[in-house]
Amino acid sequence: MKKDNYPKHMVEVTTTNLMREQDKGKLPVLDVRNLGIDFGGLTAVDGFNMTIGPTEISGLIGPNGAGKTTIFNLLTSVYQPTRGSILVNGIDTKGMTTAKVNRLGVARTFQNIRLFTDMSALDNVKVGMHNSIKCGFLSSLLRLPPYFKAEKEANKRAMELLEFMGLADIADVKAGSLPYGVQRRLEIARALATNPSIILLDEPAAGMNPTETEELMHQIRRIRDTFQIAIFLIEHDMNLVMNVCEGIVVVNYGRIIAKGTPEQIKNNPAVIEAYLGKKETD
Amino acid sequence: MKNWLKKNGKNFATYAVVIIAFIVMQVLSNAGVLTRSVKGYLIPICVYIVLAVSLNLVVGISGELSLGHAGFMGVGAFTGVVIAACLKGVIDNDILRLLLAMAGGGVVAGVAGVLIGIPVLRLRGDYLAIVTLAFGEILKNIIGNLYIGKDALGLHFAFKAENLHLAEGGKKILEGPMGAAGEKLATFGVGFALILFTLFVVLNMVNSKEGRAIKAIRDNRIAAESVGINVTAFKMKAFVTAAVLAGMAGALYGLNFASVSATKFDFNTSIDILVFVVLGGMGNILGSVIAAAVLYVLPEAMRSLYDYRMILYAIVLIVVMLMTWSPKFKQMVQIVTAWIKDSVRKLFKKSGKEVGLNEER
């Protein structure tokens, strides 16, 4: 990658006071320090720093191919970083598997929806609750009382989550046969079922019409307010990002080019340049 | 009631079919209608049903193509024979001896499953198939070259006959390529019980937290990991459970004949079991049961056509595959199942339990 591609006037990345009043003084749910990954000779992400407070909604934006999904994959240990560290609730995730990182409290959705297509919507959510269902292998095999108790509780909670996402009426429908927008919401419900402390949404509004997007915006806020968790989202729909996010990080060519509130980002020359190109002055 | 039927109807039907088939065969057998050769098929059919159902757990439910299932069957068979021979004279009750032999066969096959599963389950797709095939053959060859003898000092193991060093009065149980001299301990009743046990284990596993995790891994591995499921652990659970069940079935098989040799547990047997699973439908337990029973009997029943029977067998397989894909056949199946459901519903209505259901049809 040519160095010239980097914007010349990098905005100073300050440790901005984006934290919500109620998050101040609390351990950040996600603390990323100098994160970077190389694929062979290609530096996909470099020098990525950010912290997310326990109940913050933040956005990650950038042009296509900027490395946004790569960052999500790093945060969930799908890739192991070449440099830097990721702390989830103060614990370094180095060397952990995706499953283990999830148990630490990071849940995610996928850009190209990944549901368990052959299972019902309810079962999809119940798979998400896998680690919170307390019932041993033997109890399930022999159908001992703990199994029935655990299943009953799981059913109840899964239905609550489906209801919360407005999906109660499709609980028994096969996930693969649901419409696109519904599948996206079901993926969020499944992620919520893992009891996360932060949820990463990879383009939650992709393929949704304006009405659905509008509804999604409310839902994202409602998720934060109800579960008191942090949300970190990638999105190309600027309307959604600017309206929902409290803090925004802009990346281009794998590097942070700006950080700030929606207002600051809107007027940031580096961001405008990244999206629209540079004005010819000379 | 309605909910329960909707949720458990299929499992219920599976148990019902097996139990009814058992009762019918028992009655026929007691009435003396069955010929000796037909009676001889009963236990192998039980064995193959268990093998098909357990392989379905790996191939259909867990979605991993395993081609070494007969290897586990062989491990179970020879462990069973050895245990039965050791317990001879210690335990007089034949059924108890058979059950202990089956349990032992299951445990040893399970251990083999763990050892093989650790390296193998890290692979995916074709590679997994190739490696399981190889391991199946390895198991077969180890058994085929193993000599086991028993004397006053205990069990002796060797890979050459002369290394066995049996004391005076010692007896060879397993003689390498010659196989083992088994005993006919197996009974149809035990075979039936083993089928029920297998269905109980597999169906309960599928309809629990474990089963959901296993199916989730099959449907989308990355998503399953992202919700905190340890992929290798659950693949392993399915694989080892299947190995244990195959080992138990193998022990039953080994104790059904006067002699068993390792060549029986080769690749062809693995493929036969896989054919039962594929034809019965991936992940369809009842399908596996029916396919195993029908396809085991078919070549035997066609013995009179000797020269043509393998051709006919192949034709039947092709026809079944074509039929199950044709929309017309699917429609017919739908009509039949609707009719069955209807009659079941009517049955309940007659007993006065379900009143509010739709009246007509």
Side-chain angles (χ1 to χ4, degrees):
Chain A
M1 191 185 297
K2 279 191 284 178
K3 271 268 186 272
D4 311 13
N5 284 339
Y6 292 132
K8 299 235 164 47
H9 37 84
M10 276 267 283
V11 176
E12 190 54 43
V13 179
T14 49
T15 42
T16 35
N17 260 332
L18 292 176
M19 284 238 179
R20 303 174 78 211
E21 208 49 50
Q22 61 187 96
D23 285 354
K24 277 184 184 151
K26 283 185 189 162
L27 185 70
V29 59
L30 198 65
D31 189 350
V32 185
R33 292 172 190 168
N34 196 29
L35 190 69
I37 185 170
D38 302 337
F39 295 118
L42 178 85
T43 303
V45 177
D46 198 23
F48 188 83
N49 280 292
M50 83 176 295
T51 55
I52 298 178
T55 61
E56 194 179 327
I57 301 179
S58 9
L60 179 61
I61 61 173
N64 287 329
K68 302 183 296 295
T69 300
T70 308
I71 290 169
F72 267 26
N73 283 340
L74 284 167
L75 294 180
T76 51
S77 268
V78 174
Y79 301 141
Q80 291 294 331
T82 319
R83 296 172 289 283
S85 56
I86 304 159
L87 304 179
V88 177
N89 292 320
I91 300 166
D92 196 338
T93 65
K94 195 178 169 90
M96 285 189 184
T97 60
T98 305
K100 217 163 181 187
V101 172
N102 173 263
R103 273 171 254 157
L104 276 184
V106 183
R108 72 172 294 185
T109 67
F110 297 87
Q111 189 177 354
N112 43 344
I113 301 173
R114 290 178 183 274
L115 284 168
F116 308 125
T117 41
D118 270 356
M119 300 164 82
S120 70
L122 183 73
D123 274 354
N124 266 273
V125 178
K126 273 157 84 181
V127 171
M129 293 164 60
H130 182 81
N131 286 312
S132 56
I133 298 177
K134 294 283 170 254
C135 161
F137 189 33
L138 261 183
S139 319
S140 327
L141 270 195
L142 302 175
R143 291 286 188 262
L144 299 177
Y147 164 82
F148 292 102
K149 202 177 147 227
E151 279 297 296
K152 205 174 156 192
E153 272 170 27
N155 263 331
K156 198 174 142 235
R157 226 196 110 222
M159 277 314 290
E160 278 171 9
L161 277 171
L162 285 175
E163 226 158 275
F164 179 80
M165 293 304 295
L167 302 167
D169 44 333
I170 51 105
D172 290 328
V173 183
K174 252 193 192 177
S177 57
L178 292 169
Y180 199 73
V182 179
Q183 289 197 3
R184 286 225 173 268
R185 278 188 287 157
L186 179 57
E187 235 192 352
I188 298 176
R190 184 183 69 189
L192 283 172
T194 65
N195 265 334
S197 43
I198 180 166
I199 179 165
L200 312 179
L201 306 176
D202 200 341
E203 298 198 19
M208 284 188 175
N209 61 33
T211 333
E212 286 175 318
T213 310
E214 184 75 33
E215 203 181 310
L216 180 73
M217 277 159 52
H218 293 300
Q219 238 155 9
I220 290 173
R221 280 200 208 95
R222 227 154 52 87
I223 290 168
R224 193 267 304 278
D225 295 341
T226 315
F227 297 96
Q228 290 295 311
I229 59 175
I231 292 168
F232 189 26
L233 56 91
I234 295 175
E235 189 47 71
H236 283 299
D237 188 322
M238 285 306 140
N239 180 30
L240 183 142
V241 175
M242 295 298 165
N243 274 307
V244 166
C245 297
E246 284 135 6
I248 296 174
V249 177
V250 191
V251 286
N252 197 12
Y253 297 110
R255 285 175 171 274
I256 295 181
I257 57 170
K259 237 183 200 181
T261 61
E263 292 310 313
Q264 290 167 337
I265 295 298
K266 266 185 218 169
N267 304 316
N268 188 311
V271 176
I272 295 168
E273 190 193 312
Y275 271 92
L276 301 176
K278 203 172 172 183
K279 218 189 240 172
E280 271 187 54
T281 41
D282 300 329
Chain B
M1 179 70 212
K2 204 177 160 194
N3 259 334
W4 181 87
L5 248 180
K6 200 174 153 198
K7 245 174 122 181
N8 297 310
K10 191 136 200 223
N11 297 347
F12 186 70
T14 311
Y15 285 118
V17 166
V18 171
I19 291 170
I20 290 168
F22 172 72
I23 293 171
V24 169
M25 288 327 262
Q26 244 348 342
V27 167
L28 288 179
S29 161
N30 287 343
V33 183
L34 298 185
T35 61
R36 253 183 74 93
S37 66
V38 173
K39 272 187 192 169
Y41 299 153
L42 291 179
I43 293 167
I45 288 174
C46 293
V47 169
Y48 280 106
I49 287 175
V50 172
L51 286 167
V53 171
S54 61
L55 186 64
N56 205 340
L57 185 61
V58 178
V59 178
I61 314 270
S62 160
E64 303 288 356
L65 183 55
S66 164
L67 296 178
H69 213 51
F72 297 119
M73 182 193 180
V75 170
F78 287 97
T79 312
V81 170
V82 170
I83 290 177
C86 289
L87 292 177
K88 197 171 188 181
V90 182
I91 295 169
D92 290 331
N93 189 334
D94 276 355
I95 297 288
L96 184 60
R97 201 144 57 91
L98 174 64
L99 291 178
L100 285 173
M102 276 162 57
V107 169
V108 176
V111 171
V114 173
L115 293 179
I116 291 171
I118 290 169
V120 162
L121 292 177
R122 288 163 198 281
L123 301 170
R124 277 173 224 157
D126 303 347
Y127 301 102
L128 185 102
I130 294 165
V131 178
T132 47
L133 188 158
F135 269 110
E137 291 296 298
I138 291 171
L139 287 178
K140 184 197 87 181
N141 282 320
I142 290 176
I143 298 164
N145 287 297
L146 189 64
Y147 290 81
I148 300 178
K150 194 188 98 172
D151 61 12
L153 295 167
L155 283 176
H156 294 256
F157 298 88
F159 279 108
K160 273 185 180 154
E162 60 266 29
N163 291 348
L164 212 50
H165 305 307
L166 285 181
E168 199 69 16
K171 200 185 132 217
K172 283 179 188 165
I173 303 171
L174 178 54
E175 286 185 85
M178 306 272 286
E183 279 179 85
K184 187 148 174 36
L185 291 176
T187 64
F188 183 42
V190 174
F192 166 71
L194 182 62
I195 294 179
L196 283 189
F197 175 74
T198 305
L199 289 179
F200 185 74
V201 168
V202 172
L203 291 176
N204 280 356
M205 189 163 166
V206 170
N207 297 301
S208 73
K209 169 185 151 180
E210 272 78 18
R212 281 196 299 269
I214 291 166
K215 280 188 276 184
I217 294 167
R218 174 196 64 190
D219 279 359
N220 202 317
R221 202 180 58 87
I222 294 172
E225 270 181 334
S226 86
V227 294
I229 291 169
N230 184 342
V231 169
T232 321
F234 281 92
K235 275 190 194 171
M236 193 78 167
K237 266 185 190 169
F239 192 72
V240 172
T241 308
V244 169
L245 293 170
M248 295 174 83
L252 185 72
Y253 187 84
L255 291 167
N256 185 42
F257 299 104
S259 78
V260 258
S261 85
T263 47
K264 175 68 205 156
F265 309 106
D266 62 357
F267 178 58
N268 287 328
T269 308
S270 290
I271 291 295
D272 278 345
I273 304 167
L274 188 64
V275 168
F276 301 156
V277 173
V278 172
L279 231 70
M282 296 275 195
N284 184 346
I285 304 293
L286 179 58
S288 289
V289 172
I290 294 170
V294 172
L295 291 180
Y296 182 79
V297 171
L298 203 62
E300 306 287 342
M302 292 190 296
R303 243 175 223 289
S304 52
L305 301 165
Y306 197 74
D307 284 338
Y308 307 101
R309 67 190 179 118
M310 285 329 281
I311 298 173
L312 287 175
Y313 185 77
I315 289 172
V316 169
L317 292 188
I318 292 167
V319 168
V320 169
M321 277 191 286
L322 288 178
M323 285 225 307
T324 41
W325 270 105
S326 89
K328 244 189 194 155
F329 181 77
K330 277 186 185 164
Q331 216 175 4
M332 262 162 56
V333 169
Q334 262 174 8
I335 291 168
V336 172
T337 45
W339 179 79
I340 292 173
K341 269 184 194 162
D342 228 49
S343 13
V344 169
R345 205 171 285 161
K346 267 182 194 151
L347 216 84
F348 280 119
K349 217 191 283 176
K350 261 186 199 153
S351 61
K353 274 181 189 161
E354 303 263 303
V355 186
L357 281 168
N358 44 338
E359 289 297 325
E360 79 288 357
R361 259 195 62 75

